[in-house]
Amino acid sequence: DTVLLERFGCFGGCITTVGMETLAWYRYEGTTDSEGLGVEMERLAAQMGGTIKWPYNDSECLDADFFKLVADHLVQESGVRPYLHIMCVDALVREGKVVGVVTESKSGRKAVLAKRVIDCTGDADIANFAGVPYTMRPKDEALG
């Protein structure tokens, strides 16, 4: 059984939460597209009517709100068991291995045990909770 825990009320990450317009902003003359999941999502969004032609290259511009439907479709089609509005607040570590996470939601605090945990938090929250060493760039050396 595969479980997907999502902090927000929709799937799609940056596309749906901040309105990113295209997955393939890099698709210009002289570049090579590697295909993969991003292109698959772009094509599915186009098939479902959730894109318009990007004027500057061969990409489709995504409708961020419509892409929520595309992401839901992908999750349902995959057979993944989704949970929305749930936040991981700690990692469960046994003998140096992450074996689950502690979550909080309106349902309260719960533990989710797993054979494998994949940290897709964007900020390595699970790795940090698990005590994995990391390096943080000084603010004056960071992008932006």
Side-chain angles (χ1 to χ4, degrees), residues 41-97:
M41 291 189 301
E42 186 180 78
R43 286 183 184 141
L44 180 59
Q47 288 171 5
M48 293 175 72
T51 65
I52 59 169
K53 174 73 180 78
W54 182 250
Y56 306 107
N57 60 31
D58 291 334
S59 300
E60 295 290 324
C61 188
L62 301 172
D63 176 328
D65 281 332
F66 189 89
F67 195 77
K68 293 172 186 177
L69 299 174
V70 175
D72 281 350
H73 174 80
L74 289 168
V75 169
Q76 289 174 351
E77 189 177 69
S78 72
V80 168
R81 189 164 30 128
Y83 290 89
L84 297 171
H85 297 289
I86 192 164
M87 188 141 171
C88 293
V89 296
D90 204 357
L92 300 171
V93 181
R94 188 173 301 134
E95 297 175 8
K97 181 180 175 186

Side-chain angles (χ1 to χ4, degrees), residues 15-26:
I15 297 168
T16 55
T17 57
V18 299
M20 187 175 89
E21 295 175 337
T22 180
L23 295 170
W25 52 267
Y26 57 84

